[in-house]
Structures are given as C-alpha cells and as structure tokens.
Amino acid sequence: SPRTDTVDLRKEIGMVFQTHHLLPQCTTLENVLIPTLTRGMRKDMRMQMRERAVTLLQNVGLGGRLHQLPEQLSGGERQRAAVVRALINRPTLLLADEPTGSLNEDGAQQLTDLLLELNRSEGMAMIMVTHAGYIADRIGHVVTLHNGQLVSRE
C-alpha cells in the first residue's frame, strides 16, 4: 500500500542561495510563483497563491517591480525576490546558504533584517549559513564549524 506519512518537501522547506537563481525570462512575480506550479491546484488556490506572492513582494519593497525581469533589478532586489520565492509555499523551515554573500554590508544588513522579520511573522524555523560575524551575532542560536567539529556558541 502507498505511504500516507510522506512529507511534501516543496511545501515544508524553502531555500535561499547565495546567488538568486531567478529565471531570466520570467518576471519577478513569475519567478516567485514557480514553486507553486508543480502543485496541482484549483483555480481559486492559484489565485490565492498569486495574492500571497503580491503581498509578500509588497512587504519586501518589490510591489512596484512585479513585472520586471531579473536583469532590471538590483542585486538586493533579486535576493529579496529569491527570499519571497522560498516563502511562497509557507515552509516550516527556511534554509539560507550565504544569502547575503553577494551583497554589500548595507544590503546584507537589510536582507538579514528581512529574514529575521519573516522568520517571526511567518512562524518558521530558519537555518542560515554565513561567514559574516556581524550577521551571525544577530541570530538566536549560533553553531560554528571549527576544525571539522560543530561547536555551539552561547
């Protein structure tokens, strides 16, 4: 018999990478909606996901950039769009791999502010990898990799 306890990882886990990985031929809104395309949804659910995408994009300051292509966005705007794409399916866990690595310090601080706020407002767990100490200092629980061993920092 088929398993009934399987987890849909597309819904449970969102991922943000150091590079945004937006599709160049798709608008900001289309890029954000990509993770929803493989979920066989009724029309009303697709409309709800579109509304969520627009709301999240507005919340991160991209409400006026919905129909822009990635090449028309700044680096910080691209990363914010990538964050929204990771959140579109309401994941319970957000994995962020050096999400600020390609940004200047101001942009990195702003994106960190956004991630921490969304962590609270979306009620999800977040694991972030970073080499930036000033960002790690803002995270609740920090674990460092030292000589191949994970060390908890209190």
Side-chain angles (χ1 to χ4, degrees):
S1 71
R3 287 182 58 171
T4 58
D5 62 343
T6 59
V7 175
D8 184 353
L9 294 180
R10 294 171 302 198
K11 182 165 174 49
E12 297 299 320
I13 299 174
M15 296 185 70
V16 181
F17 302 96
Q18 182 174 358
T19 306
H20 57 78
H21 296 293
L22 299 176
L23 296 178
Q25 70 275 24
C26 294
T27 66
T28 305
L29 181 58
E30 291 166 342
N31 266 290
V32 166
L33 289 171
I34 286 171
T36 69
L37 296 177
T38 59
R39 300 173 63 201
M41 280 191 251
R42 298 182 323 265
K43 185 176 181 177
D44 63 322
M45 288 296 292
R46 283 194 309 273
M47 290 303 296
Q48 287 177 8
M49 293 305 278
R50 186 182 189 288
E51 289 172 16
R52 175 171 167 73
V54 170
T55 298
L56 285 170
L57 286 165
Q58 289 170 339
N59 290 348
V60 301
L62 294 175
R65 312 289 271 159
L66 301 177
H67 305 292
Q68 304 296 309
L69 296 174
E71 68 185 24
Q72 298 168 308
L73 303 176
S74 71
E77 289 171 331
R78 291 176 192 164
Q79 278 301 87
R80 285 182 275 154
V83 168
V84 172
R85 180 182 56 201
L87 297 174
I88 192 65
N89 284 328
R90 290 186 170 86
T92 55
L93 173 64
L94 179 68
L95 300 176
D97 180 16
E98 289 282 355
T100 62
S102 62
L103 303 175
N104 64 29
E105 190 169 333
D106 286 342
Q109 289 282 15
Q110 290 173 0
L111 186 61
T112 302
D113 291 344
L114 171 65
L115 288 170
L116 292 172
E117 174 54 34
L118 292 171
N119 169 250
R120 285 187 291 276
S121 68
E122 292 287 315
M124 68 185 168
M126 180 174 65
I127 297 174
M128 182 190 307
V129 174
T130 184
H131 287 92
Y134 67 94
I135 291 175
D137 290 342
R138 299 181 60 203
I139 306 299
H141 183 80
V142 177
V143 177
T144 58
L145 185 61
H146 182 70
N147 293 329
Q149 299 291 317
L150 289 177
V151 179
S152 184
R153 187 174 92 185
E154 298 300 324

